[in-house]
Amino acid sequence: MEKSTYYNPADLAKFGNITEWQPEMGNKFFAYYAEVFKDGALSEREKSLIALAVAHAVQCPYCIDAYTSDSLQKGADEAQMMEAVHVAAAIKGGAALVHGVQMMNKAKELSM
Amino acid sequence: MKSLQARHALLADTGYQLTVLSQADAAGAHLPAFAHKLRETGLLPLRPTSLRVMQINVGKMCNQVCKHCHVDAGPDRTEIMTRETMQQCLAALAQSDIQVVDLTGGAPEMNPDFRWLVEQISALGRQTIVRCNLTIIVANKKYHDLPEFFAKHRVQVVSSLPHFSAARTDAQRGEGVFGRSIRALQMLNEVGYGVEGSGLQLDLVFNPSGAFLPGNQASLEREFKQRLLREHGIVFNNLLAITNLPVSRFLEYLLESGNYESYMEKLVAAYNPTAAENVMCRSTLSVSWDGLLYDCDFNQMLELPVAATAPQHIRDFDEAALNARAIVVNQHCFGCTAGAGSSCGGATT
Ligand code: SF4
Ligand code: SF4
């Protein structure tokens, strides 16, 4: 029997199946998705690296798998990919840390 | 790293490679047969359109031992085409309309009669393409003047550079290959190769350094052009994105890295009927170092000769019989039909 886990790598290939229960919205989503990743003002490779960074920020294992292979496929190298992850980490870390200002404001408000 | 043959690896046996390619996966499932896919597309039997290119593999000797090499080439390989076989190729050319001769190997320049062959092809008024691995130019003093020699015969140079980063290039082609390739590219540029208006064509080949498909060719070309110019002052004409086929040392890499099944699934899932229509074997004839005829260099390395209805050796060249043959296909062919398609000339769609 197939091992039951929250995340199964084989499920990534089934992403397209979400259209089965709501074709109209699903198809629109995939059409939009395909449009987003086309070469445009940003190159396909740049978009793939952004996707890789976002995948880390949202901590989606499917997206990390998908955009690691996609980034390689689009010609990115290890250094570029790791820098993209650092951008995600910096923004995520920074986003937590910048709220420290709010904490300081509140603490000052409550303190003598 | 040594060739599969020198290591007496199981995969050195082409029969074993074909067995692996036809096996079921761990779950017992078989990939669809390539021939079946062609039938669905209305392309079976696969027939030539017209013979445009003669690709001659002048020998398996190479100064490099790349991890992905489908030829299993290397310094330890001694198979080399003789001048007599070259003469038979030239005689075939002379009686045909084939305009392009694509010289490959190994490192074709290591064949002692390489320059003679290029001169003869020039004399017949046909275009020569050389698949130059770049590092050969700087490998030994006797090769340093290759750029001038190529320029003199207006040879089109097609060279592999899997990445503009040293790490990714060296991982596939060997330690230090990137640096030497850059030096060789600069030498080619110096005599005018890749320079606008020179008429000397220099194309680069991007093939993935791992178990993934090449991305969009035009997009990769832009990126390569920017980076190579900015970082090394190098110019070139076209980037050809070529998919690695599961043959020989790339097959070994796939099996050893545990990527074989997922890679084959990727190729099958990306089957593109338009790419199938444009596979290069429909316009190419491949000749091996010993003069035998194949539908392409991959079939040659898998020892799958042209159909029995066609002549088997270049000395018996018969264009009409060759044009009427059915091309021999197998599971590795999925590499030519995935995504944008792949051929020695890059994407096919
Ligand atoms: S891929 Fe080309 S350069 Fe590398 S070992 Fe094979 S023939 Fe030689
Ligand atoms: S591997 Fe050779 S025979 Fe098969 S499709 Fe490609 S070019 Fe044709």
Side-chain angles (χ1 to χ4, degrees), chain B residues 37-67:
Chain B
K37 280 281 187 190
L38 281 186
R39 189 179 305 119
E40 278 176 8
T41 316
L43 286 168
L44 197 75
L46 187 63
R47 302 275 183 202
T49 42
S50 70
L51 204 47
R52 287 192 303 105
V53 181
M54 181 186 286
Q55 188 171 60
I56 310 179
N57 193 311
V58 297
K60 296 189 178 179
M61 195 180 285
C62 192
N63 59 316
Q64 289 185 189
V65 197
C66 306
K67 264 195 201 145

PDB file of all heavy atoms in Angstrom, chain B residues 37-67:
ATOM      1  N   LYS B  37       3.995   5.655 -29.914  1.00  0.00           N
ATOM      2  CA  LYS B  37       3.748   7.111 -29.943  1.00  0.00           C
ATOM      3  C   LYS B  37       3.803   7.624 -31.386  1.00  0.00           C
ATOM      4  O   LYS B  37       2.986   8.438 -31.801  1.00  0.00           O
ATOM      5  CB  LYS B  37       4.820   7.847 -29.121  1.00  0.00           C
ATOM      6  CG  LYS B  37       4.551   7.802 -27.636  1.00  0.00           C
ATOM      7  CD  LYS B  37       3.503   8.834 -27.296  1.00  0.00           C
ATOM      8  CE  LYS B  37       3.326   8.959 -25.791  1.00  0.00           C
ATOM      9  NZ  LYS B  37       2.161   9.787 -25.453  1.00  0.00           N
ATOM     10  N   LEU B  38       4.800   7.113 -32.137  1.00  0.00           N
ATOM     11  CA  LEU B  38       4.920   7.539 -33.534  1.00  0.00           C
ATOM     12  C   LEU B  38       3.687   7.125 -34.326  1.00  0.00           C
ATOM     13  O   LEU B  38       3.185   7.874 -35.167  1.00  0.00           O
ATOM     14  CB  LEU B  38       6.158   6.916 -34.194  1.00  0.00           C
ATOM     15  CG  LEU B  38       7.523   7.532 -33.920  1.00  0.00           C
ATOM     16  CD1 LEU B  38       8.568   6.847 -34.784  1.00  0.00           C
ATOM     17  CD2 LEU B  38       7.532   9.037 -34.199  1.00  0.00           C
ATOM     18  N   ARG B  39       3.185   5.912 -34.032  1.00  0.00           N
ATOM     19  CA  ARG B  39       2.001   5.430 -34.751  1.00  0.00           C
ATOM     20  C   ARG B  39       0.818   6.353 -34.480  1.00  0.00           C
ATOM     21  O   ARG B  39       0.107   6.745 -35.390  1.00  0.00           O
ATOM     22  CB  ARG B  39       1.682   3.983 -34.363  1.00  0.00           C
ATOM     23  CG  ARG B  39       0.589   3.396 -35.251  1.00  0.00           C
ATOM     24  CD  ARG B  39       0.240   1.951 -34.942  1.00  0.00           C
ATOM     25  NE  ARG B  39       1.390   1.068 -34.968  1.00  0.00           N
ATOM     26  CZ  ARG B  39       1.816   0.367 -33.916  1.00  0.00           C
ATOM     27  NH1 ARG B  39       1.184   0.450 -32.762  1.00  0.00           N
ATOM     28  NH2 ARG B  39       2.846  -0.425 -34.014  1.00  0.00           N
ATOM     29  N   GLU B  40       0.655   6.733 -33.216  1.00  0.00           N
ATOM     30  CA  GLU B  40      -0.442   7.655 -32.845  1.00  0.00           C
ATOM     31  C   GLU B  40      -0.335   8.962 -33.620  1.00  0.00           C
ATOM     32  O   GLU B  40      -1.332   9.607 -33.922  1.00  0.00           O
ATOM     33  CB  GLU B  40      -0.346   8.004 -31.356  1.00  0.00           C
ATOM     34  CG  GLU B  40      -0.937   6.963 -30.439  1.00  0.00           C
ATOM     35  CD  GLU B  40      -0.716   7.332 -28.966  1.00  0.00           C
ATOM     36  OE1 GLU B  40      -0.240   8.452 -28.673  1.00  0.00           O
ATOM     37  OE2 GLU B  40      -1.009   6.494 -28.125  1.00  0.00           O
ATOM     38  N   THR B  41       0.906   9.365 -33.894  1.00  0.00           N
ATOM     39  CA  THR B  41       1.135  10.623 -34.602  1.00  0.00           C
ATOM     40  C   THR B  41       1.105  10.404 -36.120  1.00  0.00           C
ATOM     41  O   THR B  41       1.258  11.345 -36.889  1.00  0.00           O
ATOM     42  CB  THR B  41       2.517  11.201 -34.171  1.00  0.00           C
ATOM     43  OG1 THR B  41       2.645  11.070 -32.752  1.00  0.00           O
ATOM     44  CG2 THR B  41       2.668  12.645 -34.528  1.00  0.00           C
ATOM     45  N   GLY B  42       0.905   9.157 -36.547  1.00  0.00           N
ATOM     46  CA  GLY B  42       0.847   8.856 -37.982  1.00  0.00           C
ATOM     47  C   GLY B  42       2.220   8.852 -38.639  1.00  0.00           C
ATOM     48  O   GLY B  42       2.342   9.084 -39.842  1.00  0.00           O
ATOM     49  N   LEU B  43       3.261   8.618 -37.847  1.00  0.00           N
ATOM     50  CA  LEU B  43       4.621   8.688 -38.405  1.00  0.00           C
ATOM     51  C   LEU B  43       5.314   7.333 -38.514  1.00  0.00           C
ATOM     52  O   LEU B  43       6.495   7.257 -38.832  1.00  0.00           O
ATOM     53  CB  LEU B  43       5.481   9.616 -37.544  1.00  0.00           C
ATOM     54  CG  LEU B  43       5.224  11.116 -37.668  1.00  0.00           C
ATOM     55  CD1 LEU B  43       5.932  11.888 -36.559  1.00  0.00           C
ATOM     56  CD2 LEU B  43       5.681  11.628 -39.026  1.00  0.00           C
ATOM     57  N   LEU B  44       4.589   6.262 -38.243  1.00  0.00           N
ATOM     58  CA  LEU B  44       5.228   4.941 -38.303  1.00  0.00           C
ATOM     59  C   LEU B  44       4.831   4.209 -39.581  1.00  0.00           C
ATOM     60  O   LEU B  44       3.644   4.172 -39.900  1.00  0.00           O
ATOM     61  CB  LEU B  44       4.814   4.114 -37.074  1.00  0.00           C
ATOM     62  CG  LEU B  44       5.699   2.893 -36.782  1.00  0.00           C
ATOM     63  CD1 LEU B  44       7.014   3.332 -36.179  1.00  0.00           C
ATOM     64  CD2 LEU B  44       4.989   1.923 -35.861  1.00  0.00           C
ATOM     65  N   PRO B  45       5.746   3.627 -40.340  1.00  0.00           N
ATOM     66  CA  PRO B  45       7.202   3.677 -40.148  1.00  0.00           C
ATOM     67  C   PRO B  45       7.758   5.073 -40.406  1.00  0.00           C
ATOM     68  O   PRO B  45       7.256   5.787 -41.278  1.00  0.00           O
ATOM     69  CB  PRO B  45       7.725   2.689 -41.195  1.00  0.00           C
ATOM     70  CG  PRO B  45       6.677   2.666 -42.262  1.00  0.00           C
ATOM     71  CD  PRO B  45       5.370   2.890 -41.556  1.00  0.00           C
ATOM     72  N   LEU B  46       8.792   5.405 -39.664  1.00  0.00           N
ATOM     73  CA  LEU B  46       9.416   6.714 -39.815  1.00  0.00           C
ATOM     74  C   LEU B  46      10.304   6.704 -41.058  1.00  0.00           C
ATOM     75  O   LEU B  46      11.202   5.880 -41.182  1.00  0.00           O
ATOM     76  CB  LEU B  46      10.243   7.022 -38.559  1.00  0.00           C
ATOM     77  CG  LEU B  46      10.839   8.429 -38.452  1.00  0.00           C
ATOM     78  CD1 LEU B  46       9.755   9.498 -38.397  1.00  0.00           C
ATOM     79  CD2 LEU B  46      11.750   8.534 -37.232  1.00  0.00           C
ATOM     80  N   ARG B  47       9.995   7.622 -41.997  1.00  0.00           N
ATOM     81  CA  ARG B  47      10.737   7.653 -43.267  1.00  0.00           C
ATOM     82  C   ARG B  47      11.572   8.925 -43.377  1.00  0.00           C
ATOM     83  O   ARG B  47      11.171   9.971 -42.862  1.00  0.00           O
ATOM     84  CB  ARG B  47       9.758   7.659 -44.448  1.00  0.00           C
ATOM     85  CG  ARG B  47       8.819   6.479 -44.493  1.00  0.00           C
ATOM     86  CD  ARG B  47       9.459   5.302 -45.180  1.00  0.00           C
ATOM     87  NE  ARG B  47       8.498   4.209 -45.263  1.00  0.00           N
ATOM     88  CZ  ARG B  47       8.843   2.939 -45.418  1.00  0.00           C
ATOM     89  NH1 ARG B  47      10.139   2.611 -45.490  1.00  0.00           N
ATOM     90  NH2 ARG B  47       7.932   1.998 -45.491  1.00  0.00           N
ATOM     91  N   PRO B  48      12.674   8.842 -44.123  1.00  0.00           N
ATOM     92  CA  PRO B  48      13.460  10.054 -44.367  1.00  0.00           C
ATOM     93  C   PRO B  48      12.656  11.039 -45.203  1.00  0.00           C
ATOM     94  O   PRO B  48      11.792  10.627 -45.984  1.00  0.00           O
ATOM     95  CB  PRO B  48      14.654   9.548 -45.173  1.00  0.00           C
ATOM     96  CG  PRO B  48      14.693   8.074 -44.960  1.00  0.00           C
ATOM     97  CD  PRO B  48      13.293   7.647 -44.721  1.00  0.00           C
ATOM     98  N   THR B  49      12.904  12.317 -45.020  1.00  0.00           N
ATOM     99  CA  THR B  49      12.302  13.327 -45.889  1.00  0.00           C
ATOM    100  C   THR B  49      13.246  13.503 -47.085  1.00  0.00           C
ATOM    101  O   THR B  49      12.908  13.114 -48.190  1.00  0.00           O
ATOM    102  CB  THR B  49      12.078  14.649 -45.132  1.00  0.00           C
ATOM    103  OG1 THR B  49      13.214  14.915 -44.317  1.00  0.00           O
ATOM    104  CG2 THR B  49      10.864  14.555 -44.246  1.00  0.00           C
ATOM    105  N   SER B  50      14.436  14.037 -46.817  1.00  0.00           N
ATOM    106  CA  SER B  50      15.476  14.035 -47.861  1.00  0.00           C
ATOM    107  C   SER B  50      16.822  14.098 -47.167  1.00  0.00           C
ATOM    108  O   SER B  50      16.940  14.679 -46.093  1.00  0.00           O
ATOM    109  CB  SER B  50      15.305  15.217 -48.801  1.00  0.00           C
ATOM    110  OG  SER B  50      15.631  16.385 -48.091  1.00  0.00           O
ATOM    111  N   LEU B  51      17.795  13.507 -47.812  1.00  0.00           N
ATOM    112  CA  LEU B  51      19.117  13.422 -47.221  1.00  0.00           C
ATOM    113  C   LEU B  51      19.843  14.754 -47.407  1.00  0.00           C
ATOM    114  O   LEU B  51      20.111  15.166 -48.528  1.00  0.00           O
ATOM    115  CB  LEU B  51      19.869  12.286 -47.933  1.00  0.00           C
ATOM    116  CG  LEU B  51      21.000  11.608 -47.197  1.00  0.00           C
ATOM    117  CD1 LEU B  51      20.605  11.255 -45.777  1.00  0.00           C
ATOM    118  CD2 LEU B  51      21.409  10.357 -47.956  1.00  0.00           C
ATOM    119  N   ARG B  52      20.119  15.440 -46.298  1.00  0.00           N
ATOM    120  CA  ARG B  52      20.788  16.737 -46.406  1.00  0.00           C
ATOM    121  C   ARG B  52      22.169  16.742 -45.755  1.00  0.00           C
ATOM    122  O   ARG B  52      23.044  17.489 -46.137  1.00  0.00           O
ATOM    123  CB  ARG B  52      19.930  17.847 -45.770  1.00  0.00           C
ATOM    124  CG  ARG B  52      18.700  18.235 -46.568  1.00  0.00           C
ATOM    125  CD  ARG B  52      18.062  19.500 -46.044  1.00  0.00           C
ATOM    126  NE  ARG B  52      17.709  19.372 -44.627  1.00  0.00           N
ATOM    127  CZ  ARG B  52      18.376  19.936 -43.631  1.00  0.00           C
ATOM    128  NH1 ARG B  52      19.428  20.689 -43.873  1.00  0.00           N
ATOM    129  NH2 ARG B  52      17.997  19.750 -42.384  1.00  0.00           N
ATOM    130  N   VAL B  53      22.310  15.917 -44.727  1.00  0.00           N
ATOM    131  CA  VAL B  53      23.549  15.948 -43.934  1.00  0.00           C
ATOM    132  C   VAL B  53      24.171  14.560 -43.842  1.00  0.00           C
ATOM    133  O   VAL B  53      23.473  13.581 -43.580  1.00  0.00           O
ATOM    134  CB  VAL B  53      23.257  16.445 -42.493  1.00  0.00           C
ATOM    135  CG1 VAL B  53      24.547  16.509 -41.667  1.00  0.00           C
ATOM    136  CG2 VAL B  53      22.554  17.794 -42.498  1.00  0.00           C
ATOM    137  N   MET B  54      25.488  14.494 -44.090  1.00  0.00           N
ATOM    138  CA  MET B  54      26.206  13.260 -43.795  1.00  0.00           C
ATOM    139  C   MET B  54      27.009  13.533 -42.527  1.00  0.00           C
ATOM    140  O   MET B  54      27.870  14.415 -42.506  1.00  0.00           O
ATOM    141  CB  MET B  54      27.135  12.871 -44.952  1.00  0.00           C
ATOM    142  CG  MET B  54      27.894  11.570 -44.682  1.00  0.00           C
ATOM    143  SD  MET B  54      29.130  11.195 -45.953  1.00  0.00           S
ATOM    144  CE  MET B  54      28.086  10.670 -47.308  1.00  0.00           C
ATOM    145  N   GLN B  55      26.676  12.827 -41.475  1.00  0.00           N
ATOM    146  CA  GLN B  55      27.434  13.007 -40.241  1.00  0.00           C
ATOM    147  C   GLN B  55      28.448  11.876 -40.130  1.00  0.00           C
ATOM    148  O   GLN B  55      28.072  10.703 -40.112  1.00  0.00           O
ATOM    149  CB  GLN B  55      26.504  13.027 -39.017  1.00  0.00           C
ATOM    150  CG  GLN B  55      27.267  13.410 -37.747  1.00  0.00           C
ATOM    151  CD  GLN B  55      26.366  13.648 -36.549  1.00  0.00           C
ATOM    152  OE1 GLN B  55      25.646  12.754 -36.124  1.00  0.00           O
ATOM    153  NE2 GLN B  55      26.400  14.845 -35.991  1.00  0.00           N
ATOM    154  N   ILE B  56      29.696  12.232 -40.107  1.00  0.00           N
ATOM    155  CA  ILE B  56      30.755  11.213 -40.064  1.00  0.00           C
ATOM    156  C   ILE B  56      31.403  11.213 -38.691  1.00  0.00           C
ATOM    157  O   ILE B  56      31.914  12.243 -38.235  1.00  0.00           O
ATOM    158  CB  ILE B  56      31.828  11.481 -41.150  1.00  0.00           C
ATOM    159  CG1 ILE B  56      31.166  11.692 -42.516  1.00  0.00           C
ATOM    160  CG2 ILE B  56      32.830  10.342 -41.196  1.00  0.00           C
ATOM    161  CD1 ILE B  56      32.157  11.994 -43.639  1.00  0.00           C
ATOM    162  N   ASN B  57      31.367  10.082 -38.038  1.00  0.00           N
ATOM    163  CA  ASN B  57      32.071   9.948 -36.762  1.00  0.00           C
ATOM    164  C   ASN B  57      33.449   9.377 -37.065  1.00  0.00           C
ATOM    165  O   ASN B  57      33.592   8.202 -37.353  1.00  0.00           O
ATOM    166  CB  ASN B  57      31.293   9.045 -35.805  1.00  0.00           C
ATOM    167  CG  ASN B  57      31.844   9.169 -34.392  1.00  0.00           C
ATOM    168  OD1 ASN B  57      33.065   9.088 -34.196  1.00  0.00           O
ATOM    169  ND2 ASN B  57      30.976   9.390 -33.431  1.00  0.00           N
ATOM    170  N   VAL B  58      34.463  10.256 -36.993  1.00  0.00           N
ATOM    171  CA  VAL B  58      35.790   9.859 -37.454  1.00  0.00           C
ATOM    172  C   VAL B  58      36.603   9.111 -36.389  1.00  0.00           C
ATOM    173  O   VAL B  58      37.747   8.751 -36.633  1.00  0.00           O
ATOM    174  CB  VAL B  58      36.599  11.047 -38.021  1.00  0.00           C
ATOM    175  CG1 VAL B  58      35.919  11.619 -39.257  1.00  0.00           C
ATOM    176  CG2 VAL B  58      36.808  12.125 -36.967  1.00  0.00           C
ATOM    177  N   GLY B  59      36.015   8.877 -35.244  1.00  0.00           N
ATOM    178  CA  GLY B  59      36.726   8.077 -34.253  1.00  0.00           C
ATOM    179  C   GLY B  59      36.289   8.384 -32.831  1.00  0.00           C
ATOM    180  O   GLY B  59      35.733   9.440 -32.559  1.00  0.00           O
ATOM    181  N   LYS B  60      36.544   7.437 -31.938  1.00  0.00           N
ATOM    182  CA  LYS B  60      36.070   7.600 -30.559  1.00  0.00           C
ATOM    183  C   LYS B  60      37.124   8.185 -29.629  1.00  0.00           C
ATOM    184  O   LYS B  60      36.877   8.348 -28.446  1.00  0.00           O
ATOM    185  CB  LYS B  60      35.596   6.248 -30.030  1.00  0.00           C
ATOM    186  CG  LYS B  60      34.403   5.744 -30.829  1.00  0.00           C
ATOM    187  CD  LYS B  60      33.767   4.530 -30.228  1.00  0.00           C
ATOM    188  CE  LYS B  60      32.559   4.140 -31.095  1.00  0.00           C
ATOM    189  NZ  LYS B  60      31.881   2.957 -30.619  1.00  0.00           N
ATOM    190  N   MET B  61      38.315   8.476 -30.191  1.00  0.00           N
ATOM    191  CA  MET B  61      39.363   9.021 -29.343  1.00  0.00           C
ATOM    192  C   MET B  61      39.029  10.455 -28.976  1.00  0.00           C
ATOM    193  O   MET B  61      38.578  11.230 -29.810  1.00  0.00           O
ATOM    194  CB  MET B  61      40.692   8.969 -30.104  1.00  0.00           C
ATOM    195  CG  MET B  61      41.886   9.170 -29.200  1.00  0.00           C
ATOM    196  SD  MET B  61      43.399   9.095 -30.149  1.00  0.00           S
ATOM    197  CE  MET B  61      43.520   7.340 -30.451  1.00  0.00           C
ATOM    198  N   CYS B  62      39.253  10.789 -27.701  1.00  0.00           N
ATOM    199  CA  CYS B  62      38.961  12.147 -27.237  1.00  0.00           C
ATOM    200  C   CYS B  62      39.928  12.511 -26.124  1.00  0.00           C
ATOM    201  O   CYS B  62      40.360  11.638 -25.374  1.00  0.00           O
ATOM    202  CB  CYS B  62      37.523  12.240 -26.743  1.00  0.00           C
ATOM    203  SG  CYS B  62      36.998  13.946 -26.470  1.00  0.00           S
ATOM    204  N   ASN B  63      40.243  13.806 -26.023  1.00  0.00           N
ATOM    205  CA  ASN B  63      41.102  14.248 -24.919  1.00  0.00           C
ATOM    206  C   ASN B  63      40.295  14.433 -23.639  1.00  0.00           C
ATOM    207  O   ASN B  63      40.858  14.629 -22.576  1.00  0.00           O
ATOM    208  CB  ASN B  63      41.819  15.556 -25.294  1.00  0.00           C
ATOM    209  CG  ASN B  63      40.839  16.668 -25.628  1.00  0.00           C
ATOM    210  OD1 ASN B  63      39.858  16.436 -26.350  1.00  0.00           O
ATOM    211  ND2 ASN B  63      41.065  17.852 -25.126  1.00  0.00           N
ATOM    212  N   GLN B  64      38.982  14.396 -23.743  1.00  0.00           N
ATOM    213  CA  GLN B  64      38.121  14.545 -22.574  1.00  0.00           C
ATOM    214  C   GLN B  64      37.393  13.218 -22.280  1.00  0.00           C
ATOM    215  O   GLN B  64      37.342  12.335 -23.128  1.00  0.00           O
ATOM    216  CB  GLN B  64      37.074  15.640 -22.817  1.00  0.00           C
ATOM    217  CG  GLN B  64      37.684  17.018 -22.834  1.00  0.00           C
ATOM    218  CD  GLN B  64      36.641  18.133 -22.948  1.00  0.00           C
ATOM    219  OE1 GLN B  64      37.028  19.268 -23.143  1.00  0.00           O
ATOM    220  NE2 GLN B  64      35.360  17.831 -22.832  1.00  0.00           N
ATOM    221  N   VAL B  65      36.821  13.157 -21.070  1.00  0.00           N
ATOM    222  CA  VAL B  65      35.987  11.996 -20.707  1.00  0.00           C
ATOM    223  C   VAL B  65      34.743  12.560 -20.000  1.00  0.00           C
ATOM    224  O   VAL B  65      34.589  12.416 -18.790  1.00  0.00           O
ATOM    225  CB  VAL B  65      36.719  11.023 -19.754  1.00  0.00           C
ATOM    226  CG1 VAL B  65      36.014   9.672 -19.745  1.00  0.00           C
ATOM    227  CG2 VAL B  65      38.177  10.825 -20.138  1.00  0.00           C
ATOM    228  N   CYS B  66      33.874  13.201 -20.763  1.00  0.00           N
ATOM    229  CA  CYS B  66      32.706  13.836 -20.146  1.00  0.00           C
ATOM    230  C   CYS B  66      31.757  12.790 -19.575  1.00  0.00           C
ATOM    231  O   CYS B  66      31.582  11.719 -20.153  1.00  0.00           O
ATOM    232  CB  CYS B  66      31.962  14.673 -21.173  1.00  0.00           C
ATOM    233  SG  CYS B  66      33.025  15.866 -21.989  1.00  0.00           S
ATOM    234  N   LYS B  67      31.116  13.200 -18.471  1.00  0.00           N
ATOM    235  CA  LYS B  67      30.217  12.279 -17.769  1.00  0.00           C
ATOM    236  C   LYS B  67      29.002  11.884 -18.598  1.00  0.00           C
ATOM    237  O   LYS B  67      28.405  10.843 -18.365  1.00  0.00           O
ATOM    238  CB  LYS B  67      29.710  12.966 -16.502  1.00  0.00           C
ATOM    239  CG  LYS B  67      30.498  12.603 -15.274  1.00  0.00           C
ATOM    240  CD  LYS B  67      29.735  13.024 -14.033  1.00  0.00           C
ATOM    241  CE  LYS B  67      30.712  13.149 -12.889  1.00  0.00           C
ATOM    242  NZ  LYS B  67      30.359  14.235 -11.977  1.00  0.00           N
TER     243      LYS B  67
END
